Amino acid sequence: KHIGGFNESVNRVLNWWGYSATLSFEPYSFDVVTPETTPKTLPVKELSGSELFRFLVALQCAIAVYSKIKMVLIDKADILIDAHRGKLFAGVKHLLDTGLLEKAFIFVADKRREAPKQEGVGFYLVEKGKVERLS
């Protein structure tokens, strides 16, 4: 009986990335509209691997906001091409800037030692069991 409120709350966050989702239990369905499929709705199981990853990041953020956990852990962000990775970082930054999230940990495989200087953001290099703060 509370699924409508859940759908609305989650979709408020998903919409920032261009997604919307509908969850139903009887009969069961989990359908998604993505920036690439708009206006067509697809079952979540039909999304491509990259699109599914991007949607799941947005969904994790939405659930963290809805549940008041306010923290996300995102691994393997390096699988995204630059434009999609930029959208991921922009979405998470937006949620942090507005206070909807308090902490975000995004893991990217990258051997570069130079890191951008960004207020409130720390970059670390983890190599051979050692952690080095880059910025």
Side-chain angles (χ1 to χ4, degrees), residues 10-88:
V10 166
N11 279 325
R12 276 195 288 274
V13 176
L14 290 177
N15 286 335
W16 199 92
W17 276 282
Y19 296 104
S20 66
T22 307
L23 176 62
S24 176
F25 286 109
E26 292 188 25
Y28 175 77
S29 68
F30 188 31
D31 300 317
V32 180
V33 174
T34 74
E36 283 80 12
T37 63
T38 301
K40 186 178 177 187
T41 301
L42 293 175
V44 72
K45 66 183 179 183
E46 291 184 18
L47 298 178
S48 71
S50 174
E51 186 67 47
L52 180 62
F53 178 84
R54 289 179 277 143
F55 170 71
L56 291 175
V57 166
L59 181 63
Q60 179 188 177
C61 290
I63 291 171
V65 169
Y66 178 78
S67 66
K68 297 186 178 31
I69 292 171
K70 294 188 162 195
M71 180 179 75
V72 294
L73 299 167
I74 302 164
D75 194 7
K76 301 180 183 175
D78 49 301
I79 68 169
L80 298 176
I81 61 173
D82 288 341
H84 292 212
R85 193 181 306 176
K87 182 109 172 147
L88 177 147

Side-chain angles (χ1 to χ4, degrees), residues 5 22 34-35 42 44 47 51 58 88 91 93 96 98 103 107 117 121-122 125 130:
T22 307
T34 74
L42 293 175
V44 72
L47 298 178
E51 186 67 47
L88 177 147
K93 184 174 181 338
L96 290 164
T98 59
K103 298 252 185 233
F107 300 92
K117 303 285 187 220
V121 177
L125 176 66
K130 295 182 180 174

